[in-house]
Amino acid sequence: MKMEEWKEYELSELIDEISMGPFGSNIKVECFTDSGVPVLNGSNLVGLKLNEDKFNYVTEEKAASLGKSNAYRNDIVITHRGTLGQIVYIPQDSKYEHYVISQSQFRVKCNQKVLPEYLVYYFHTRIGQHQLLSNASQVGVPALARPTTTFQKLRIVLPPLANQQKIARILSSLDDKIELNNKINANLEEQAQALFKNWFVDKYDKDGVIGDYCTVKSGFAFKSAWWQDKGIKVIRIGDIEQGCLSLETCAHVTNDKTDIAKDFLVHGGDLVIAMTGATIGKFSMIPKTQEPILVNQRVGKFFLGDNPIEKVPFIYCTLKQEEVITEFINRGQGSAQPNISTGDILSIPCWIPSDNEIDNFNKTIQPMFETIISNQEENRKLSGLRDSLLPKLMSDEIEVGEVII
């Protein structure tokens, strides 16, 4: 690949259409319906491709009245207020033909000079994110100043379209595998939850509490001065997502901190839970990994024995039940910053059948959870490979022909 084949463009030269989301007064909560045209929010803009796990909806008539605030397949959607740096494309195989963007987003329709997925991948590189956030204001709610105007003035060096397609194909193949693993995990978890309901929820009253099955301790109180760019990973509140854990966002401390915080080491199959803030009650399994990992204060660690994967299925499925989730939320209310204690967690009512029944359930479900953990670890490696290839492919540091997936 020769550098002279690459060409610099202002983004305005690559865009057919760009438009902001609707004014807040044009799309209020009372506009939402149970079905219709999906309305996007920040949770739909996680990653590179539109996340379609959950939507609010408006009627077709309401969507039509919002005109250019409708986004279609191959459009790019970008957050300009709130969680800045979010940018995704709507794939050709999206669930819906069109979507309404929120007042915190704007949409872009590319012309034939650039692939929308290539442009999105570019803006997920370090350089691309720097450009995207170059006009961000941190006063009050984070926001991009004059977002559509400044976005169009950004400049990018593009390879020929054929090379864009090859680069996007390499990166998409990794994302497709990640997506497949996530679907497999979701299906396995759905099966586990159905069995849990059949074995316990439909047969027993909640005549026990979580503390009858396990213990929970809040993590170690690490000092902010100890944070490092490299070293032993530390899980903080913001790292916890429901069901799985992203280790890429973790803080780090020096190796000697494992001595003073040794009771809060976690390994593959361990379970941790958020005890403070907006994520209160959310929990995650630790993916299979050889590296030591520690947990910070206000992150609860479940103590389930030397081989937690043997006991985690029962408590995991317990924590996923709606009535248990509601208990977490209710117990965390009453202050500006929601909080729960380990005592709150351990005293939440739950189903505690006989030890024999629980053991049989865990043995039945354990292979599913081992597959889930294994898939999570594979996804972590695939994400790492994709993120390392991304800037190199887009800076012409390596040629597409050199990459073997």
Side-chain angles (χ1 to χ4, degrees):
M1 202 183 295
K2 306 286 188 186
M3 279 304 295
E4 57 263 30
E5 296 175 351
W6 293 53
K7 182 178 177 182
E8 186 176 33
Y9 295 90
E10 186 176 82
L11 285 188
S12 61
E13 301 175 74
L14 308 175
I15 294 173
D16 272 347
E17 187 173 293
I18 185 168
S19 55
M20 296 284 286
F23 290 110
S25 58
N26 288 337
I27 183 166
K28 298 179 179 178
V29 173
E30 51 263 36
C31 298
F32 294 154
T33 57
D34 293 333
S35 61
V37 179
V39 180
L40 304 184
N41 59 45
S43 68
N44 303 121
L45 270 63
V46 176
L48 296 131
K49 188 163 59 173
L50 185 68
N51 181 345
E52 304 197 74
D53 287 347
K54 188 177 181 181
F55 292 114
N56 291 313
Y57 299 88
V58 293
T59 63
E60 287 282 357
E61 293 75 17
K62 181 63 179 178
S65 74
L66 298 173
K68 291 186 177 181
S69 294
N70 283 261
Y72 297 83
R73 289 167 180 160
N74 284 333
D75 279 1
I76 293 171
V77 183
I78 304 164
T79 298
H80 66 78
R81 184 179 63 181
T83 308
L84 302 182
Q86 292 182 313
I87 176 169
V88 302
Y89 69 96
I90 302 175
Q92 284 282 11
D93 60 352
S94 63
K95 291 181 182 178
Y96 299 88
E97 290 185 0
H98 65 114
Y99 305 77
V100 172
I101 62 175
S102 80
Q103 60 182 325
S104 298
Q105 300 163 352
F106 65 96
R107 55 170 281 268
V108 173
K109 186 178 294 296
C110 298
N111 60 30
Q112 297 301 312
K113 295 176 183 176
V114 64
L115 291 179
E117 55 266 45
Y118 182 92
L119 203 58
V120 167
Y121 277 120
Y122 171 79
F123 280 109
H124 276 269
T125 65
R126 183 181 59 82
I127 293 173
Q129 281 283 295
H130 177 75
Q131 285 183 278
L132 196 59
L133 301 176
S134 59
N135 67 319
S137 169
Q138 299 299 329
V139 178
V141 178
L144 302 178
R146 299 178 294 113
T148 56
T149 300
T150 52
F151 183 76
Q152 291 182 86
K153 291 186 178 297
L154 299 178
R155 304 190 71 83
I156 182 174
V157 178
L158 286 180
L161 195 60
N163 290 100
Q164 292 179 41
Q165 291 168 337
K166 291 175 183 176
I167 291 170
R169 195 177 302 123
I170 290 169
L171 299 171
S172 294
S173 69
L174 296 170
D175 283 325
D176 289 346
K177 178 57 178 170
I178 292 170
E179 186 175 347
L180 176 61
N181 282 342
N182 286 336
K183 287 180 179 178
I184 291 171
N185 284 359
N187 181 265
L188 289 171
E189 185 172 320
E190 187 176 336
Q191 292 180 51
Q193 295 297 339
L195 286 171
F196 183 86
K197 184 175 186 299
N198 180 259
W199 282 33
F200 306 121
V201 178
D202 294 342
K203 288 174 60 178
Y204 297 101
D205 294 325
K206 296 199 294 294
D207 56 0
V209 293
I210 288 175
D212 292 334
Y213 185 71
C214 60
T215 58
V216 180
K217 291 183 180 179
S218 179
F220 186 82
F222 290 97
K223 297 177 182 179
S224 58
W226 293 351
W227 298 137
Q228 307 283 326
D229 292 332
K230 296 180 180 179
I232 305 300
K233 291 183 175 179
V234 180
I235 298 167
R236 298 170 295 179
I237 290 287
D239 302 317
I240 297 178
E241 303 167 8
Q242 191 73 347
C244 63
L245 184 75
S246 172
L247 297 180
E248 279 63 45
T249 59
C250 289
H252 299 82
V253 291
T254 51
N255 290 9
D256 61 296
K257 299 301 185 294
T258 56
D259 294 329
I260 61 173
K262 59 186 177 182
D263 289 340
F264 301 100
L265 278 167
V266 288
H267 307 88
D270 271 329
L271 208 60
V272 293
I273 190 165
M275 299 172 60
T276 298
T279 59
I280 190 168
K282 288 190 176 182
F283 60 94
S284 297
M285 274 196 304
I286 305 299
K288 191 179 295 182
T289 175
Q290 299 301 313
E291 59 187 318
I293 303 169
L294 296 161
V295 288
N296 196 26
Q297 60 185 334
R298 309 308 298 156
V299 175
K301 173 188 173 182
F302 285 82
F303 286 81
L304 298 165
D306 294 334
N307 191 8
I309 193 61
E310 293 180 352
K311 295 185 69 176
V312 79
F314 180 81
I315 190 63
Y316 185 99
C317 291
T318 297
L319 295 172
K320 289 285 282 191
Q321 301 306 304
E322 285 296 331
E323 49 225 280
V324 174
I325 293 171
T326 301
E327 277 282 348
F328 274 111
I329 294 170
N330 290 341
R331 291 179 183 224
Q333 291 176 345
S335 62
Q337 175 81 320
N339 283 283
I340 51 173
S341 66
T342 55
D344 288 328
I345 297 172
L346 296 174
S347 63
I348 288 177
C350 69
W351 306 265
I352 300 291
S354 69
D355 290 344
N356 187 55
E357 287 177 289
I358 293 176
D359 287 344
N360 286 338
F361 176 79
N362 283 335
K363 287 175 183 176
T364 301
I365 303 301
Q366 183 180 341
M368 296 182 186
F369 274 74
E370 287 177 341
T371 299
I372 289 171
I373 292 174
S374 180
N375 285 343
Q376 288 175 353
E377 174 60 8
E378 182 179 24
N379 279 359
R380 192 166 77 94
K381 292 177 180 177
L382 290 169
S383 296
L385 176 59
R386 179 200 62 206
D387 294 345
S388 66
L389 285 174
L390 191 56
K392 294 176 181 178
L393 286 168
M394 296 199 161
S395 65
D396 201 36
E397 184 179 335
I398 59 174
E399 297 187 13
V400 290
E402 297 175 5
V403 180
I404 301 174
I405 301 297

